[in-house]
DNA sequence: CATAATAGTTATAATTTTGTAACCGTTATT
DNA sequence: AATAACGGTTACAAAATTATAACTATTATG
């Protein structure tokens, strides 16, 4: 198959594979330099800011983090009072982690900090380009959230072969 | 500022911050499970597959990797014969790293392997959605490559404050 | 009730990434 | 020629992620 008749799906995969390292290096670097959080615990906070409340297992599923890692990341967030534990009254094994008011507020500020450099670099684009980019990134975000959704029927083993 | 009158640029930053962990966890997981390469050395290979030939310093700039890390990652790629060293005849300090035929071939195969899971998940979308996504991801990719470009005038210190 | 399965924690190790400092050889500056 | 700057390597340490196994408590299944 030549590049010419590459399918749209192959293009998508190709593009995502290019996008990832670009994003990764810029964002994790900003997180390290501008916050007291590790990338991992910030991603947990971000996921909670979207979902509000998730069980430990669900957090690991959303971010593909091994369970012990989730425990330690949440531990950190709890000492920072950005999230809190809620016990499920129906099933006392389950512990829900919920973002706190302080967590919501702080995550908003952290996003500003972290995005600062990105925002500066985006200044080279004109308004129309920014708009296109806004729509494009929104679409990509929505699709990724959709396709990476947790399968309703369990099967969220972190070390699962894929 | 409420969510309602959020600027387009803020939306872009927000979206990128959401996209990153989703992409990260899926792609690095695939790399670990399906290849003998570490994410780092595969990103180096990917960058070289786009640029063909880069100096050690340039590789580090593109991916924000500390120089010693670049050395070890390239070392691995050289023993796998996926890249090779070229000495600059004008400035004998500079060592260019160039992707080999074998490297080009293998990177293509690796992309197929790594994208397999992604491709499967994208199956839930119809042709039109895939097309939109293809365009959106292409746009995002191009913009990111553009804005993360290396500044011509040096200033690519890995540990630089940002 | 006995057993198995689930949710989460603890402990520990291995891998990968990041960060520093010192060093060599080469080039640029004075 | 002396010195500084640059490109890359070496050596080493620290941080972050990933992976395993064993364990507690709770719930589900037979």
């Amino acid at each position: 198959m030549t590049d010419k008749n590459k399918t749209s799906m192959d293009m998508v995969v190709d593009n995502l594979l290019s996008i990832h390292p670009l994003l990764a290096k810029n964002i994790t670097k900003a997180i390290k330099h501008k916050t007291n959080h590790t990338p991992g615990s910030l991603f947990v906070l971000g996921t909670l800011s979207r979902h509000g409340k998730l069980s430990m297992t669900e957090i690991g599923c959303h971010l593909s983090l091994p369970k012990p890692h989730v425990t330690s990341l949440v531990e950190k967030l709890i000492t920072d009072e950005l999230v809190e534990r809620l016990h499920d009254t129906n099933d006392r094994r389950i512990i829900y982690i919920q973002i706190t008011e302080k967590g919501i507020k702080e995550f908003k500020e952290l996003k500003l900090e972290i995005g600062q450099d990105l925002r500066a670099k985006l200044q080279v684009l004109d308004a129309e380009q920014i708009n296109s980019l806004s729509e494009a990134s929104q679409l990509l975000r929505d699709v990724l959230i959709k396709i990476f959704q947790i399968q309703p029927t369990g099967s969220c083993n972190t070390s699962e072969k894929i």
Side-chain angles (χ1 to χ4, degrees), chain A residues 9-105:
Chain A
M9 189 178 301
D10 286 333
M11 299 251 324
V12 172
V13 172
D14 244 54
N15 289 334
L16 296 185
L17 256 32
S18 292
I19 290 169
H20 169 51
L22 294 172
L23 231 40
K25 293 308 170 176
N26 206 272
I27 290 178
T28 61
K29 193 171 164 185
I31 291 175
K32 293 216 160 182
H33 286 341
K34 307 200 159 186
T35 81
N36 304 318
H37 302 275
T38 63
S41 69
L42 216 60
F43 295 154
V44 171
L45 191 60
T47 304
L48 287 169
S49 94
R50 174 154 66 250
H51 294 93
K53 188 176 82 170
L54 290 174
S55 73
M56 297 293 285
T57 302
E58 287 169 333
I59 293 172
C61 287
H62 278 286
L63 295 170
S64 291
L65 300 172
K67 285 203 303 189
H69 197 194
V70 176
T71 299
S72 73
L73 295 177
V74 166
E75 195 63 40
K76 167 86 165 56
L77 293 174
I78 287 177
T79 60
D80 291 342
E81 296 176 334
L82 305 181
V83 306
E84 59 192 353
R85 277 186 237 265
L86 297 178
H87 290 270
D88 187 319
T89 45
N90 292 341
D91 186 339
R92 296 194 328 219
R93 289 171 300 182
I94 300 176
I95 297 178
Y96 286 107
I97 308 299
Q98 185 169 35
I99 191 167
T100 62
E101 278 304 320
K102 183 180 173 189
I104 294 172
K105 187 161 162 290

Side-chain angles (χ1 to χ4, degrees), chain A residues 3 10 15 24 44-45 72 81 87 119 123-125 135 140 159 161:
Chain A
D3 275 11
D10 286 333
N15 289 334
V44 171
L45 191 60
S72 73
E81 296 176 334
H87 290 270
R119 222 171 283 112
Q123 296 286 1
V124 303
L125 306 180
E135 285 174 28
L140 180 55
S159 54
K161 296 297 168 287

Side-chain angles (χ1 to χ4, degrees), chain A residues 137-151:
Chain A
S137 58
Q138 185 73 46
L139 173 62
L140 180 55
R141 189 192 107 122
D142 292 343
V143 169
L144 291 182
I145 287 176
K146 179 177 174 187
I147 68 173
F148 290 156
Q149 236 172 10
I150 299 180
Q151 301 85 336

